């Protein structure tokens, strides 16, 4: 009887520190996963996934779109936030209420109360896609944290130091895991290793990542 009840209730999310200022909230987004994926689809209906080019001319292996007031873009002119989708010239889709709430709750749980994201980058990884080590530094206020939500197939996340040469820690990120970094960890290098061929019942071969920022 007790065992039955236990199996029916959703797992409690738990917090796993990575370093000072950074934490993984295991399965924090799991309970709302189907709704989150529906919202991603709706965002992508208005602003389709595209593979952008780095300032150096390389096509990124990750397909991206954005929602919220500000979208993150990259092209020959550089990395930046802008209010227009460069493909369509229109504003980015609004940030779904659920996204905003989830990001604010995760930030608060990690010790960053009052986080109000105005930008969400939606990354879609297919088999073979990866993201090299980088810092998130196109935002105005580094006092605001980054909230990163993983959905779908698992990947190895790398979390390094404040210099590119610092040896990164490796953390496996699975469906529903949320990473929050801020404060002393805000400018740490991070990235993900190549996505392996895999299957998730809700996303198929894909891994999605929602990265919430306060851009302005
Ligand atoms: C990012 O740093 O923008 C993405 C990280 C991830 O996919 O987990
Ligand atoms: Fe990043």
């Amino acid at each position: 009887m007790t065992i039955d009840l236990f199996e029916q209730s959703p797992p409690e999310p738990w917090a796993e520190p990575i370093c000072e200022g950074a934490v993984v909230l295991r399965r924090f987004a799991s309970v709302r996963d189907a709704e989150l994926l529906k919202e991603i689809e709706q965002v992508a209906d208005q602003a389709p996934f595209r593979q952008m080019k780095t300032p150096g001319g390389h096509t990124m292996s990750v397909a991206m779109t954005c929602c919220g007031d500000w979208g993150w873009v990259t092209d020959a002119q550089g990395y930046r936030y802008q209010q227009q989708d460069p493909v369509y010239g229109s504003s980015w889709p609004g940030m779904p209420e659920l996204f905003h709430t989830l990001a604010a709750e995760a930030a608060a749980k990690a010790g960053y109360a009052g986080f109000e994201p105005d930008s969400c980058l939606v990354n879609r990884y297919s088999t073979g896609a990866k993201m090299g080590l980088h810092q998130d530094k196109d935002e105005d206020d580094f006092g605001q944290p980054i909230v990163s939500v993983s959905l779908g197939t698992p990947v190895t996340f790398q979390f390094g130091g404040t210099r590119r040469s610092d040896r990164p820690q490796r953390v496996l990120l699975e469906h529903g895991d949320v990473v929050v970094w801020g404060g002393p960890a805000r400018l740490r290098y991070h990235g993900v290793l190549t996505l392996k061929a895999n299957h998730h019942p809700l996303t198929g071969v894909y891994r999605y990542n929602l990265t919430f920022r306060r851009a302005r």
Side-chain angles (χ1 to χ4, degrees), residues 131 134-136 146 181 190 211 213:
M131 191 176 293
H134 64 277
Q135 294 170 296
D136 289 357
I146 302 286
W181 64 94
H190 59 278
T211 303
R213 295 92 180 264

Side-chain angles (χ1 to χ4, degrees), residues 65-86:
T65 186
C66 300
C67 63
D69 292 343
W70 296 91
W72 184 87
V73 299
T74 170
D75 57 21
Q77 271 70 59
Y79 305 119
R80 64 191 175 277
Y81 284 96
Q82 65 176 48
Q83 293 188 287
Q84 282 78 37
D85 177 340

